[in-house]
Amino acid sequence: MNQKWTRAICTVLTSALVFTGPAVEGITFSGYINSGLEKVYAKTKKQKDAEKKKSQAEQDLKDKKNEINGLKDQQQITADDIKNKSAKLDEILAAQKKLQTDITSKQAEIEQNQKDLAAAQEKQQEQYDAMKKRIQFMYENSAEDNIWTAIIESNGITDMLNRIEYVSDVYDSDRALMDSYQAAVEQVKEIGTKLDKDMNELTAMQDDYEKQQADVEAAIVALENQKEQYASQIAQAQQQADNYQNIITAQGKIIQEQEAAAAAAAAAQAAAARANSSSSSSSYDGGGAGKGGSIAGDYAAGGGKNPGASTGVSGSSVVSYAMQFVGHPYVWGGNSLTNGVDCSGFVHEVYAHFGISTPRYSQAFKSVGQAVSFDNIQPGDVVVYPGHVAIYAGGGVIVEAQSTKAGITANRSVQCHTILAIRRLV
């Protein structure tokens, strides 16, 4: 058997041993399981539990938010009812104020009527007393019968008629005066009766307004209490929603950590397999140049550059997505993660999946995102080399569109070439 075939067989056997090897950091792998266009790894029990808790918390949070929205709707309806009741109360108070003015005015009319009635009755009594005096005088200073006296003592027919007419005129005058005074008294009494009726109606209206006011005020108090109860329920529900959100965040962090650990372990296994393979072959390792292990001064260890997160995307999520395309072809100038892509296109397309815009030229990545010192490098950080760019996968390796021969890989050390820049985009 010639040397070429010996190397090929060794490569296959080494890869098989690595991909069916023992568990790494608690993760049981069957290596990357080829499933068409994707390569996936088995999830840990801890990750499955975290995903289950996160899913339940997300459903609970959704239900709690719906409950909060319902309570807020009820609270708003109650607030509108309070507003309407308050407007009704204002109307009642305004009507009471006008009614009080009408009652005061009517009371003044009644008092004036009472004075007018007393004056009319007094005038009637005076006329009655005067008439009695005249009748008494005429009786005391005449014969038994004035009419007959007038006839007998008259000096003629003319004098008799004049005497009779005088007596009759006095009587008619007294009667007319008595009738007029009596009519005046009756008129004043009628006015008084009407005023009393009006006052009774006004006081009845006042009683009704006072009852309406009491009812509306009681309704407003009840609505205010109900509104406060809704506010308390909303606060409690919001606290529960915050707790669910904390659970989601905590479990999401666990999931990301597990994904990152799995990605790093898988990358490390792949790197070991490739290292063993490359030791028995002389294949070209692809893009990049410069002496391995060297790092540009601004990014050397101890530089202290370690920026915080700038997006809601985790670096481990970026790595997990990128690892799906390991084994797919390298095509210079390509833009398809499945059909072919070059190094900058690979990084560009992976980050585009998360809505993050990046350049399409490898060296342009030196100015995007935020600078990171080598000792603070994290999964998902972009590593720029001379003529090449890749994504740090964790575990000391990178995931990259390596070369036409190697395709998309995750087996090379992050220090395979001189590092010009390390940039954090998430």
Side-chain angles (χ1 to χ4, degrees):
M1 184 179 296
N2 60 35
Q3 186 177 2
K4 179 178 181 181
W5 279 106
T6 301
R7 286 199 301 268
I9 292 171
C10 289
T11 298
V12 173
L13 290 174
T14 302
S15 298
L17 287 171
V18 170
F19 281 87
T20 58
V24 178
E25 294 182 356
I27 304 172
T28 302
F29 284 95
S30 59
Y32 282 95
I33 304 170
N34 196 337
S35 58
L37 296 178
E38 292 188 346
K39 295 177 182 288
V40 298
Y41 50 80
K43 296 179 181 178
T44 65
K45 182 179 183 302
K46 185 175 182 179
Q47 181 176 344
K48 290 179 180 178
D49 289 343
E51 288 176 348
K52 183 178 180 181
K53 291 178 181 178
K54 181 172 179 285
S55 177
Q56 182 61 53
E58 287 172 341
Q59 183 59 51
D60 291 340
L61 178 60
K62 180 180 178 181
D63 294 342
K64 192 57 63 176
K65 285 183 176 179
N66 289 336
E67 179 185 340
I68 290 172
N69 290 334
L71 289 170
K72 286 183 177 179
D73 289 342
Q74 291 300 318
Q75 187 183 47
Q76 184 59 52
I77 291 173
T78 303
D80 292 340
D81 289 343
I82 292 173
K83 183 178 179 181
N84 294 334
K85 291 293 184 184
S86 297
K88 180 64 176 177
L89 181 61
D90 290 340
E91 292 177 3
I92 293 172
L93 293 175
Q96 282 183 309
K97 184 176 181 180
K98 181 179 182 302
L99 179 62
Q100 188 59 49
T101 301
D102 293 342
I103 290 174
T104 301
S105 176
K106 191 64 66 177
Q107 184 62 42
E109 291 181 38
I110 290 173
E111 291 174 357
Q112 183 60 48
N113 175 261
Q114 290 173 344
K115 292 178 180 178
D116 293 343
L117 177 61
Q121 289 174 332
E122 182 179 359
K123 194 71 175 177
Q124 183 187 33
Q125 187 63 41
E126 289 176 357
Q127 179 59 29
Y128 178 70
D129 293 342
M131 185 179 68
K132 286 197 301 181
K133 288 180 179 179
R134 281 193 296 274
I135 292 172
Q136 181 180 2
F137 177 79
M138 291 173 64
Y139 175 77
E140 292 175 349
N141 294 281
S142 64
E144 293 181 359
D145 192 339
N146 289 333
I147 297 297
W148 287 108
T149 300
I151 293 172
I152 294 171
E153 293 181 356
S154 63
N155 295 323
I157 188 65
T158 301
D159 183 42
M160 180 189 69
L161 292 174
N162 286 337
R163 287 173 179 259
I164 292 172
E165 184 177 3
Y166 171 74
V167 172
S168 178
D169 286 345
V170 169
Y171 173 79
D172 290 341
S173 175
D174 286 340
R175 182 75 261 173
L177 284 172
M178 287 298 297
D179 288 344
S180 67
Y181 286 128
Q182 181 64 35
V185 169
E186 293 300 323
Q187 183 179 10
V188 173
K189 284 183 177 180
E190 288 179 3
I191 293 173
T193 300
K194 184 177 183 305
L195 289 173
D196 288 339
K197 181 181 179 181
D198 291 345
M199 178 61 79
N200 290 335
E201 291 177 353
L202 291 174
T203 54
M205 289 176 63
Q206 186 178 42
D207 292 340
D208 183 60
Y209 280 137
E210 288 176 352
K211 183 178 183 304
Q212 291 184 42
Q213 178 183 349
D215 291 343
V216 173
E217 287 176 342
I220 291 175
V221 170
L223 289 170
E224 289 287 359
N225 292 335
Q226 189 175 40
K227 184 180 176 183
E228 291 179 2
Q229 290 176 1
Y230 283 133
S232 177
Q233 293 174 2
I234 289 171
Q236 292 176 1
Q238 187 59 59
Q239 181 60 50
Q240 293 174 338
D242 293 341
N243 292 338
Y244 290 138
Q245 185 60 61
N246 292 337
I247 292 173
I248 292 170
T249 301
Q251 298 306 315
K253 184 177 181 181
I254 291 173
I255 293 169
Q256 290 175 359
E257 290 173 350
Q258 291 296 299
E259 287 177 346
Q269 284 190 339
R274 291 291 182 176
N276 290 334
S277 175
S278 62
S279 66
S280 57
S281 65
S282 57
S283 59
Y284 172 62
D285 67 355
K291 182 180 178 181
S294 60
I295 304 172
D298 290 343
Y299 297 90
K305 297 182 177 67
N306 188 25
S310 58
T311 70
V313 181
S314 68
S316 59
S317 296
V318 174
V319 173
S320 295
Y321 181 71
M323 295 294 284
Q324 297 180 47
F325 305 100
V326 172
H328 288 236
Y330 175 105
V331 175
W332 188 87
N335 292 297
S336 172
L337 293 172
T338 55
N339 297 326
V341 68
D342 58 16
C343 66
S344 60
F346 175 72
V347 179
H348 175 79
E349 293 298 327
V350 167
Y351 272 93
H353 173 76
F354 296 95
I356 299 173
S357 178
T358 62
R360 187 59 182 80
Y361 169 58
S362 64
Q363 299 309 294
F365 279 90
K366 291 189 291 186
S367 59
V368 298
Q370 304 176 81
V372 181
S373 299
F374 182 75
D375 52 349
N376 293 319
I377 192 169
Q378 295 178 8
D381 289 344
V382 174
V383 185
V384 184
Y385 306 96
H388 190 56
V389 64
I391 298 172
Y392 182 62
V397 298
I398 54 175
V399 56
E400 60 181 328
Q402 183 177 343
S403 66
T404 304
K405 184 175 182 179
I408 298 175
T409 64
N411 57 24
R412 292 205 300 174
S413 167
V414 67
Q415 292 182 277
C416 60
H417 297 293
T418 299
I419 296 176
L420 299 180
I422 305 169
R423 310 294 294 187
R424 184 163 297 158
L425 279 63
V426 295

